[in-house]
C-alpha cells in the first residue's frame, strides 16, 4: 500500500503545530501565573494558576468561533474581537510582568511564548479547516454525481415512455386498393377502366398486407353488355341506350361510354 506524501506531510505538520501550540501556551500560562503570584495573589497559588485561563481561553474560544464561521462561509467579527483581546492582553501582561528595570532581551523572551501560542494555534485551526473543507467538498461532489445519475435515469425513462407510446398507440391507416385495366380494340381505344375503389382500415401494429384485385372486362364482354343494355333501353323507351347508363352500369369514363354507344348503335342500325 503506497503512502500519499501530501497526506503524510499534512499529518507531520499537524503534529508539529500541536506540539508548538502546547509548549507556547504552557510557557505563556506559567509566566502569567508567576505574574499573578507577584501582583495581588501572593500565597494563593491555586487562584494564581487559574487566573491566566481568563486570557488564554479567550484566544481558544475566538479561534474556534472563527473556524466555525469560515466553514459556514461568513465572517464572525465577535470571534475576531475575542481573539484579538485575548492575544493582545496575554502578550502585554507577559511583557509587563518582566518589570521596568529589565534588559530588552528579557522583554523579547517574555513576548515570544504568547505570540508563538497565537500563531501556532491559528495554524492548527487552519489545518483543521482545510481537512473539514476537503471532506465537505467530497460529499458535495458525490451528492451532485448521484443527482446527475438520477436525472439521467429519469430522462431515459421518459424517452422510453415516449417511444413506447408512439409505437403502441397508432392511428388507423387508410389503404386504397385500386383495380384497373387497359382495353384496346378497333376502331377505337379505351383508356384504363377503373373499378370502384375499396378502402380498409388496418391497425398499425398488424402486418400491412396490400391485396390488389384486378377486375377487367374484355372488349367483347363490354360490347355484349352494351348490346344488352341497348336492347333493354329500346324495348322500354324506344330509344337507344344513353351514355350515362353505360357509364353507371359498366364503370366507364364518358369518352369510353360515348365510343361504345356509337359502336353499338351503329351495329343495330346496320
Amino acid at each position: 500500500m503506497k503512502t500519499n506524501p501530501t497526506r503524510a506531510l499534512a499529518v507531520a505538520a499537524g503534529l508539529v503545530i500541536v506540539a508548538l501550540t502546547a509548549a507556547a501556551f504552557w510557557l505563556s500560562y506559567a509566566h502569567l501565573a508567576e505574574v499573578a503570584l507577584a501582583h495581588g495573589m501572593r500565597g494563593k497559588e491555586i487562584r494564581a494558576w487559574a487566573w491566566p485561563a481568563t486570557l488564554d481561553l479567550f484566544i481558544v474560544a475566538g479561534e474556534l468561533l472563527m473556524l466555525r464561521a469560515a466553514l459556514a462561509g461568513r465572517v464572525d467579527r465577535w470571534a475576531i474581537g475575542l481573539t484579538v483581546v485575548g492575544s493582545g492582553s496575554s502578550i502585554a501582561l507577559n511583557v509587563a510582568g518582566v518589570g521596568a528595570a529589565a534588559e530588552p532581551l528579557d522583554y523579547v523572551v517574555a513576548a515570544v511564548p504568547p505570540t508563538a501560542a497565537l500563531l501556532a494555534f491559528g495554524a492548527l485551526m487552519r489545518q483543521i479547516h482545510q481537512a473539514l473543507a476537503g471532506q465537505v467538498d467530497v460529499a458535495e461532489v458525490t451528492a451532485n454525481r448521484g443527482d446527475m445519475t438520477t436525472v439521467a435515469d429519469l430522462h431515459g425513462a421518459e424517452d422510453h415512455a415516449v417511444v413506447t407510446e408512439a409505437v403502441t398507440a397508432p392511428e388507423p391507416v387508410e389503404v386504397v386498393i385500386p383495380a384497373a385495366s387497359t382495353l384496346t380494340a378497333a376502331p377505337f381505344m379505351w383508356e384504363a377502366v377503373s373499378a370502384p375503389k375499396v378502402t380498409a382500415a388496418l391497425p398499425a401494429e398488424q402486418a400491412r398486407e396490400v391485396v390488389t384485385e384486378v377486375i377487367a372486362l374484355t372488349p367483347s364482354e363490354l360490347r355484349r353488355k352494351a348490346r344488352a343494355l341497348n336492347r333493354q333501353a329500346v324495348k322500354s323507351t324506344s330509344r337507344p341506350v344513353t351514355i350515362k347508363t353505360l357509364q353507371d352500369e359498366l364503370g366507364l369514363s364518358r369518352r369510353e361510354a360515348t365510343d361504345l354507344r356509337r359502336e353499338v348503335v351503329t351495329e343495330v342500325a346496320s
Side-chain angles (χ1 to χ4, degrees), residues 186-201:
F188 57 87
M189 180 181 293
W190 291 319
E191 295 180 351
V193 179
S194 301
K197 295 180 180 180
V198 181
T199 61

Side-chain angles (χ1 to χ4, degrees), residues 55-98:
L55 294 177
D56 290 342
L57 290 181
F58 275 117
I59 303 173
V60 175
E63 290 283 358
L64 291 176
L65 291 176
M66 288 171 62
L67 173 62
R68 176 174 174 270
L71 292 175
R74 58 185 179 83
V75 177
D76 190 343
R77 300 186 182 278
W78 180 251
I80 296 174
L82 288 178
T83 305
V84 171
V85 169
S87 301
S89 300
S90 179
I91 295 172
L93 288 173
N94 272 280
V95 172
V98 177

Side-chain angles (χ1 to χ4, degrees), residues 6 28 42 47 49 58 97 119 143 157 171 198 210 243 250:
T6 303
S28 175
R42 293 183 179 87
R47 293 171 57 187
W49 278 96
F58 275 117
L119 297 177
E171 296 181 357
V198 181
V210 179
I243 296 174
L250 302 180

Side-chain angles (χ1 to χ4, degrees), residues 63-76 79 124-137 140:
E63 290 283 358
L64 291 176
L65 291 176
M66 288 171 62
L67 173 62
R68 176 174 174 270
L71 292 175
R74 58 185 179 83
V75 177
D76 190 343
L124 179 61
M125 292 297 101
R126 179 177 176 81
Q127 289 288 98
I128 297 175
H129 171 69
Q130 291 177 346
L132 295 177
Q135 293 178 0
V136 172
D137 292 340
E140 290 180 353

Side-chain angles (χ1 to χ4, degrees), residues 30-49 51:
H31 188 209
L32 289 179
E34 293 175 355
V35 172
L37 285 172
H39 300 84
M41 292 188 180
R42 293 183 179 87
K44 302 174 183 177
E45 293 186 0
I46 296 177
R47 293 171 57 187
W49 278 96
W51 179 79

Side-chain angles (χ1 to χ4, degrees), residues 72-194:
R74 58 185 179 83
V75 177
D76 190 343
R77 300 186 182 278
W78 180 251
I80 296 174
L82 288 178
T83 305
V84 171
V85 169
S87 301
S89 300
S90 179
I91 295 172
L93 288 173
N94 272 280
V95 172
V98 177
E103 296 291 332
L105 191 58
D106 295 335
Y107 296 110
V108 173
V109 171
V112 166
T115 304
L118 173 64
L119 297 177
F121 193 70
L124 179 61
M125 292 297 101
R126 179 177 176 81
Q127 289 288 98
I128 297 175
H129 171 69
Q130 291 177 346
L132 295 177
Q135 293 178 0
V136 172
D137 292 340
V138 171
E140 290 180 353
V141 170
T142 304
N144 291 336
R145 288 179 179 175
D147 293 341
M148 292 175 63
T149 303
T150 302
V151 171
D153 292 341
L154 290 177
H155 283 305
E158 292 175 358
D159 294 341
H160 178 71
V162 172
V163 172
T164 303
E165 182 179 359
V167 172
T168 60
E171 296 181 357
V173 180
E174 183 176 351
V175 181
V176 179
I177 307 175
S181 63
T182 302
L183 304 177
T184 305
F188 57 87
M189 180 181 293
W190 291 319
E191 295 180 351
V193 179
S194 301

